[in-house]
Amino acid sequence: MNLAKRTYMNLMIFKTISENKGRISVQQIHQQIEPNMGMSVRSLQRYLKGLTEWGLLVADGQSPQGFKLSEHAKNIFEELAGSAAH
């Protein structure tokens, strides 16, 4: 996956998760981004695990696995939004 595609996928994942008020399952994320990304559910699970290890997502440990934005990610997006407003 090239850098542009990875960046776009990250943005789509974060957008999808941030639009949801609570947890969102891998399947729900997949349904939102798959038409644009061509990624299997299993590949998405592995990718989300990586974002969790980076501290950008929080996994809930339930079955099916659910995710939400971490406080760290929320702070990053608030800083970006504030910078974009200036």
Side-chain angles (χ1 to χ4, degrees):
M1 178 182 316
N2 67 34
L3 184 58
K5 188 172 182 178
R6 183 178 304 274
T7 300
Y8 181 73
M9 182 165 60
N10 284 335
L11 291 172
M12 292 297 295
I13 288 170
F14 293 132
K15 178 181 180 290
T16 300
I17 293 173
S18 67
E19 288 173 346
N20 212 7
K21 295 299 177 198
R23 76 184 284 282
I24 185 169
S25 72
V26 174
Q27 188 65 37
Q28 289 171 303
I29 297 168
H30 187 262
Q31 288 172 350
Q32 293 292 319
I33 70 167
E34 205 304 307
N36 299 316
M37 300 310 300
M39 176 180 271
S40 71
V41 172
R42 183 64 189 124
S43 292
L44 179 59
Q45 286 173 324
R46 286 190 295 269
Y47 195 81
L48 293 172
K49 182 179 181 209
L51 293 175
T52 301
E53 290 169 355
W54 276 85
L56 298 170
L57 299 179
V58 176
D60 65 9
Q62 303 212 3
S63 183
Q65 184 74 13
F67 294 90
K68 57 185 182 177
L69 292 178
S70 69
E71 289 303 314
H72 176 64
K74 289 176 187 177
N75 291 336
I76 290 171
F77 295 126
E78 285 176 7
E79 288 176 21
L80 287 171
S83 296
H86 295 118

